[in-house]
Amino acid sequence: MKGAVRTMKKSVSILLIAILMMAALLAGCSGSPAEEPPASSGQAATDDPSSAPAAVEGKEPEPKGGPVKTTEVAYDGEPVTLKFIIAVDDETFRIRFKDQIEATFPNITLELAEASLDAAGLQELNARGDIPDLYVMHSGYQDMKELDMLEPLDPYIERSGFDMSIFREGVVDVIRALDPDGAGALYGMPIEDSRKALFYNKVIFDKFGVDYPKDGMTYDEILDLAQKLTTERDGVKYKGFSFGYYSHAFSQLGVNGTDPQTGEVLFAKEPAFQQFFELLDKYRNIPGMIDTSDYTYSFSNEQNVAMYIGQLQHLPLNNAVEGLDFDIVSVPEWPDHKGIGPTAPAVSVSINKHSRHKEAAWAVIAYLASEAGQMVLSRAGSPPTINSEEAVSEYAAMHIEESGKTYNIAPIFEQKPAPIAVYSPYGPLITFNYDDFINLKAKDFVKMPGKDTATFLREMEEEYAGLVKEMKVKK
């Protein structure tokens, strides 16, 4: 069944709870007061220019002297145990990774490493000589560079002939853009997409006689709907729309806030910053939208939020809520960036430079990115990174297939991430990254109705210039 997913029984299983833990990797929704818990991560990808000839749509590229393109990478070496750092529980690890890898590679045992993905946790692990073989990139590769853990995957891709054209457009580009040296090296293989969706409560729309949102709407159109739904009735306050994290919308613009070479702060010069805060100005001026009282708004619990932007991984979680009648459409877009969704790096698996089992580690990474590996991950609740209608149609089927309900899934995967030319090492992080600098400043701005956009941007730029100075001192 193309473009749709089936729903599950109204009970939260252990596997659904596992989604929340996987979800903590890359997205979520706490930027405005109506959000749900954060969920997982992932993204889309394109041909890898360093390893694959240009492809014609619908045709595999002709090999030019190198290995025939494939997604099958064998491992016939000695039995090894690979340690994998990823923020999931044991049951999720078994279902998504361990079972399928050990069934495919009899000589590989996959083990969940006990370590946090921050610099302190990795330093502690390395200090005691407990060397992980595989890890997941969390918010960029700078920490891994400083710990001397980066291992470029391009040589493995070229040597094995791995077909990078299987990925959805934009996924690999985002990962390459996060190369801390700015050279576009690939340090992680994307295995779980970080797709976002606009969730909407049908009951609230029906109550107020407002048409449901559609795929491809602009932010202005969504705010027009939100204004009709932000009101009070029968003692219940309703909020028409929550951005989730405000930086979801900003990440669709694909702009650097600093010059990658000099660190000059560009908030006042770059028109996208003005565009973003003007949108927030319209949002905050909707009567009742910014409620500074202690009133509780929630999409799934109180069910008084009409629309919010959240991780696609919220789908099975929301579906498990008794009485919540909802659907999803694509995230609203900027008029001058049609077809562009929120930009966040996929959950990407990397090889530790100091691993003693790099060939086995590469075989695992390649398999998880292959169609066979992606089908298992998709059914378990990880949005696929490959361009496969079948993998999309099976999304979260393990959790929701029993109810027979369908959701508007396919259009969520049709949005592309914003093109990113060069990532500035001075930040702010150009891709979505939870409660980052942009999101924090946006939260301040919407609660300051007397502050005009130009003044706020000037003060924001001065503040960030001070942070850049501190970064340069540390270098």
Side-chain angles (χ1 to χ4, degrees), residues 384-426:
T385 55
I386 63 171
N387 190 15
S388 164
E389 289 185 5
E390 185 180 6
V392 168
S393 71
E394 287 294 304
Y395 174 66
M398 182 182 294
H399 307 293
I400 62 181
E401 64 186 347
E402 294 182 16
S403 77
K405 190 173 179 182
T406 60
Y407 289 106
N408 181 40
I409 289 290
I412 311 304
F413 286 86
E414 291 170 5
Q415 287 185 318
K416 303 171 185 177
I420 300 174
V422 179
Y423 163 65
S424 173
Y426 299 102

Side-chain angles (χ1 to χ4, degrees), residues 13-16 18-19 21-22 82 84 86-104 108-114 364 367-368 373 376-377 379-382 398-399:
S13 65
I14 293 176
L15 296 180
L16 281 178
I19 290 178
M21 299 189 67
M22 188 66 172
L82 299 181
F84 187 3
I86 186 169
V88 297
D89 61 41
D90 290 338
E91 183 68 1
T92 302
F93 185 75
R94 181 186 66 77
I95 292 169
R96 298 192 184 190
F97 307 108
K98 185 177 178 67
D99 283 356
Q100 65 165 324
I101 290 301
E102 293 181 1
T104 305
I108 296 177
T109 299
L110 201 59
E111 187 177 283
L112 180 60
E114 296 293 332
V364 168
Y367 185 82
L368 292 174
V376 172
L377 289 171
R379 285 184 58 81
S382 296
M398 182 182 294
H399 307 293

Side-chain angles (χ1 to χ4, degrees), residues 251 318 430:
S251 74
N318 285 332
I430 195 169

